Amino acid sequence: MSERLGITYELSCGRGESPERKARGIALEQTVELPAATLPPGIESAMVGRIETLEPAGGNRFRARISYAPETVGGELTQLLNVLFGNISLKRGIRITGIAWPAALLRRLGGPAYGTAGIRRLTGVRERALLGTALKPIGLDAAALARRCEAFATGGIDLIKDDHGLADQPSAPFADRLQRCQEAVTRANARVGGNALYLPNVTAPFAEFPRRLEAARAAGCRAVLVSPWLAGLDSLRWARDQFGLALMAHPALTGSAFGRRHGIAPELVLGDLFRAAGADASIYPNADGRFGLSRRRCEAINGHLRGPLGELHPAFPVPAGGMDVARAPGWVRRYGIDTILLIGGSLYARGDLVRGARELLDAVREQHA
Amino acid sequence: MSERLGITYELSCGRGESPERKARGIALEQTVELPAATLPPGIESAMVGRIETLEPAGGNRFRARISYAPETVGGELTQLLNVLFGNISLKRGIRITGIAWPAALLRRLGGPAYGTAGIRRLTGVRERALLGTALKPIGLDAAALARRCEAFATGGIDLIKDDHGLADQPSAPFADRLQRCQEAVTRANARVGGNALYLPNVTAPFAEFPRRLEAARAAGCRAVLVSPWLAGLDSLRWARDQFGLALMAHPALTGSAFGRRHGIAPELVLGDLFRAAGADASIYPNADGRFGLSRRRCEAINGHLRGPLGELHPAFPVPAGGMDVARAPGWVRRYGIDTILLIGGSLYARGDLVRGARELLDAVREQHA
């Protein structure tokens, strides 16, 4: 691994704050964590981040590109997160806007095992956008959730995921929900000749996580839902390598990193990082819904999930969060068919879930970008 | 578990944004994730967050207190994080400023196994503030780091932790570093009659984490360093239960949640959450150093680590980040002796590490709050 990791930062400088010192501070903070004067011989050139460029970006903002020796990261996702935004998360006015990935690091992280082609194989859907929905609400028992699952699968939804807030609560304990929902989907698939997938939420405490993955595989699931920011980003990569299940990633808690002046750009977290860690599909809050990302930002996320990233498979963008049935065709035209539309509330609002799902399927079937 | 989880939010409302709707949006978003009109009978009263109070807090700000049924969280840290700030992290203008913990949830999470009293037992330090330092920089080999370790232990530093950026890089691979540093500390302890602890950084990818903990225990370490935001918060709790090692938590990456208008108050993350999850000591960036927390904020963190939290043991605050030897006595007077002062760069700047450590020890020995 000789290629360096390149990180682009947008720096917002306070009054009297020098952009040169701010950039140099990052280069030291994210590596040696010592003032340069106290470094032993050879460490500065070998380990300290190297400021490659620094240029004005309007007003009090500056764009810095700093490169890091591959040695700094090694090959571990925990330490990669640390180099990206560990200590500097505790500072102000630093926003990561780009990552230039060393090919060797991407190879080591591995990316999606299935990717868009693999998910299409699993669902048997070739030439249209895929449809997803969320099983909810929390509070229903497993039998009631399974009935909803069966209705969605009957109506033609391709991927039916647990709401990410369904964990192992008493109203619908994980094991019971898993069994009933997977059986319901299997039954519906047999009846209508479908390939719908049920994705249980396996996000869980450390020791439980492997058990839920194993249970999901044993129950016949072919994909699962994980919230990497809750369980730890590397849990995604590990699940990919150990269980052979397709992985849909949920953005819970990531939004705290999406500040306008401080944080990490959403397309890098929900795009690059989740994809590199193994997500075959990555959920994000779509524009015009109940969250605040702009259309341009959503298109950037799509691009980072589907565009070139070393030799990694492309992953599915999953726009969600207040999407509705009526506007679904428009989103397919805008985002293209390599998209999973995740529609929840608007389907539930129709009351008849089978019919709602069918209408949605009919609406997007003929849509192309 | 019948007591409800209470969360206090500071809401910043945009032009035309109603605080009532914003609070109600949170109550729905963090539970059922559906519009109220689509909820099956009984779910609203059982599961939706209940707005207990909502009051103006100056300008466009409002203070809301919402309570949640214990059922929403169940007993898992992953889902607790989700209820706290999962989806709403993706919104704007929501800041969590208080958590009213149900006693049963705290009992279930368990808190520190050692706590302040246990760390004092391990180090044999009774009536003064404890001294900590960080082994660095990355780039030195394990032998050189071990020499630094030995010097610090000889000079009287109580807790010598890996820099949190030391993972398993080629320059000082984990296994080699662990062995040499622990041996160095043992040697120094024998020579000077001390009880210094070496805390290897066990933050690691999912499958590696148990192996590094096991290796640390086997090498004779009695405490370790974990970055919960990198490895997943529950990894801390799990390590406590499985390995019997004392735990020092590092705040890497947490700062992205510390926005002024959006996020979670630092004393809740580095105080309540880390302590509830099992941290015996929690590092935070001290005021007047290279990070931006105010003195008042730091005192709030101290209070949340040491003050009443159900029946949980108190944990040590570990102010760090640009602390210096000269001002150490002042911090002890301000924060009290149940504090671990973590001083890195300023010790290295002195050149002679043994002597620097002795001066530091002499300086704080007689200080009381």
Side-chain angles (χ1 to χ4, degrees):
Chain A
M1 295 208 297
S2 60
E3 206 184 335
R4 293 171 73 82
L5 172 69
I7 305 180
T8 304
Y9 307 84
E10 184 185 88
L11 309 179
S12 300
C13 290
R15 193 184 297 259
E17 194 180 20
S18 132
E20 288 79 13
R21 284 192 55 182
K22 189 158 184 150
R24 174 70 169 158
I26 294 170
L28 290 162
E29 190 71 53
Q30 299 305 92
T31 56
V32 294
E33 258 199 89
L34 277 174
T38 67
L39 293 177
I43 298 291
E44 163 87 45
S45 62
M47 300 307 307
V48 176
R50 190 187 294 158
I51 301 171
E52 305 284 356
T53 59
L54 175 62
E55 57 196 22
N60 67 336
R61 284 186 285 163
F62 296 83
R63 192 171 301 108
R65 188 167 174 280
I66 303 180
S67 73
Y68 297 89
E71 156 95 15
T72 316
V73 172
E76 304 187 333
L77 268 176
T78 35
Q79 173 61 3
L80 172 64
L81 281 180
N82 186 43
V83 171
L84 279 172
F85 211 58
N87 269 11
I88 56 171
S89 76
L90 298 156
K91 301 207 162 194
R92 282 290 159 257
I94 302 172
R95 187 162 172 273
I96 298 181
T97 58
I99 303 174
W101 292 86
L105 180 56
L106 286 176
R107 261 197 306 278
R108 173 147 183 172
L109 297 177
Y114 289 82
T116 49
I119 297 282
R120 286 198 179 279
R121 271 196 306 278
L122 286 180
T123 54
V125 178
R126 298 241 176 109
E127 300 194 339
R128 61 165 170 84
L130 274 69
L131 301 176
T133 194
L135 270 189
K136 45 190 172 185
I138 181 176
L140 286 185
D141 64 22
L145 290 168
R147 281 194 295 277
R148 293 182 161 208
C149 218
E150 188 159 356
F152 287 132
T154 302
I157 302 293
D158 304 300
L159 300 122
I160 305 156
K161 73 164 190 72
D162 277 345
D163 198 15
H164 73 289
L166 295 176
D168 189 34
Q169 296 97 341
S171 49
F174 179 80
D176 188 26
R177 184 173 85 243
L178 170 67
Q179 220 56 48
R180 288 175 190 265
C181 289
Q182 181 57 32
E183 280 171 18
V185 166
T186 304
R187 208 157 48 229
N189 282 342
R191 203 172 54 237
V192 302
N195 285 299
L197 304 179
Y198 164 60
L199 292 81
N201 174 28
V202 296
T203 309
F206 192 84
E208 265 306 297
F209 183 62
R211 294 183 200 131
R212 293 205 189 148
L213 281 158
E214 183 52 49
R217 183 166 62 179
C221 296
R222 290 170 294 168
V224 295
L225 180 76
V226 179
S227 298
W229 237 238
L230 302 179
L233 180 59
D234 192 71
S235 63
L236 202 60
R237 194 195 55 80
W238 183 80
R240 176 200 65 200
D241 290 347
Q242 298 298 311
F243 289 91
L245 294 159
L247 300 168
M248 182 179 279
H250 190 282
L253 196 62
T254 58
S256 44
F258 301 162
R260 278 200 316 145
R261 292 282 179 263
H262 189 70
I264 312 176
E267 62 271 25
L268 300 180
V269 175
L270 307 179
D272 289 23
L273 282 174
F274 280 15
R275 179 178 171 190
D280 300 292
S282 177
I283 301 172
Y284 65 84
N286 197 22
D288 305 357
R290 6 181 246 286
F291 299 93
L293 294 189
S294 67
R295 289 184 175 204
R296 222 179 97 214
R297 182 67 64 195
C298 293
E299 283 167 346
I301 296 173
N302 297 350
H304 281 250
L305 286 166
R306 297 188 293 215
L309 187 65
E311 292 156 20
L312 304 191
H313 290 323
F316 267 113
V318 190
M323 307 264 296
D324 77 21
V325 175
R327 287 184 297 169
W331 288 116
V332 179
R333 286 194 299 273
R334 188 172 191 98
Y335 289 162
I337 62 167
D338 276 343
T339 304
I340 300 173
L341 298 181
L342 187 66
I343 298 187
S346 161
L347 276 179
Y348 288 105
R350 311 222 146 190
D352 182 333
L353 301 184
V354 177
R355 194 161 147 190
R358 281 195 183 130
E359 284 170 12
L360 177 61
L361 181 57
D362 286 342
V364 304
R365 196 170 254 153
E366 304 302 329
Q367 301 299 328
H368 294 274
Chain B
M1 296 207 297
S2 60
E3 206 186 334
R4 293 172 73 82
L5 171 70
I7 304 180
T8 304
Y9 307 85
E10 184 186 87
L11 310 179
S12 300
C13 290
R15 193 184 295 258
E17 194 180 21
S18 132
E20 288 79 12
R21 284 193 55 183
K22 189 157 185 150
R24 175 70 168 159
I26 294 171
L28 290 163
E29 189 72 53
Q30 298 305 90
T31 56
V32 295
E33 257 198 271
L34 277 173
T38 67
L39 293 177
I43 298 291
E44 163 88 43
S45 62
M47 301 306 310
V48 176
R50 190 188 294 158
I51 301 171
E52 305 285 354
T53 58
L54 175 62
E55 57 195 20
N60 67 337
R61 285 186 285 163
F62 296 83
R63 191 172 301 110
R65 189 169 172 279
I66 303 180
S67 73
Y68 297 88
E71 157 95 15
T72 315
V73 172
E76 302 186 335
L77 268 176
T78 35
Q79 173 62 3
L80 173 63
L81 281 180
N82 185 44
V83 171
L84 279 173
F85 211 58
N87 269 13
I88 57 172
S89 76
L90 298 155
K91 301 206 163 196
R92 282 289 159 258
I94 302 171
R95 186 161 172 274
I96 297 181
T97 59
I99 303 175
W101 292 86
L105 180 56
L106 286 176
R107 261 198 305 277
R108 174 147 182 171
L109 297 177
Y114 289 82
T116 49
I119 297 283
R120 286 197 179 279
R121 271 195 308 277
L122 286 180
T123 54
V125 177
R126 299 240 174 111
E127 299 195 338
R128 62 164 169 85
L130 275 68
L131 301 176
T133 194
L135 271 189
K136 45 190 170 185
I138 182 176
L140 286 185
D141 65 22
L145 290 168
R147 281 194 296 276
R148 293 181 161 208
C149 217
E150 187 160 357
F152 287 131
T154 302
I157 302 292
D158 305 299
L159 301 119
I160 305 156
K161 70 164 191 71
D162 277 345
D163 199 15
H164 73 291
L166 294 176
D168 190 33
Q169 296 97 341
S171 50
F174 179 80
D176 188 26
R177 185 173 83 243
L178 169 68
Q179 220 57 48
R180 289 175 189 265
C181 290
Q182 180 58 31
E183 280 170 17
V185 167
T186 304
R187 208 157 46 227
N189 282 342
R191 203 173 51 237
V192 302
N195 284 298
L197 304 179
Y198 165 60
L199 292 80
N201 174 29
V202 297
T203 309
F206 192 84
E208 265 307 297
F209 184 61
R211 292 183 203 131
R212 294 205 189 147
L213 280 158
E214 184 52 48
R217 184 165 62 180
C221 296
R222 290 171 294 169
V224 295
L225 180 77
V226 179
S227 298
W229 238 238
L230 302 179
L233 179 58
D234 193 71
S235 63
L236 201 60
R237 194 195 55 79
W238 182 80
R240 176 199 65 200
D241 290 348
Q242 297 299 311
F243 290 91
L245 294 159
L247 300 169
M248 182 180 277
H250 191 283
L253 196 62
T254 60
S256 44
F258 300 161
R260 279 200 316 144
R261 292 284 180 261
H262 188 70
I264 312 176
E267 64 270 25
L268 299 180
V269 175
L270 307 179
D272 289 24
L273 282 173
F274 281 14
R275 178 178 172 191
D280 300 292
S282 177
I283 301 172
Y284 65 83
N286 197 22
D288 305 357
R290 18 181 236 284
F291 300 94
L293 295 189
S294 67
R295 290 184 173 203
R296 221 179 99 216
R297 182 68 63 195
C298 294
E299 282 167 347
I301 296 173
N302 297 349
H304 281 250
L305 286 166
R306 297 188 292 213
L309 188 64
E311 293 157 18
L312 304 190
H313 290 322
F316 266 113
V318 191
M323 307 265 295
D324 77 21
V325 175
R327 287 185 297 169
W331 289 116
V332 178
R333 287 194 299 274
R334 185 171 193 101
Y335 290 162
I337 63 167
D338 276 344
T339 304
I340 300 172
L341 297 181
L342 188 66
I343 298 187
S346 160
L347 276 180
Y348 288 105
R350 310 224 148 191
D352 182 332
L353 301 184
V354 177
R355 193 161 148 191
R358 281 195 184 130
E359 284 169 12
L360 177 60
L361 180 58
D362 287 341
V364 305
R365 197 170 251 153
E366 304 303 328
Q367 301 300 327
H368 295 273

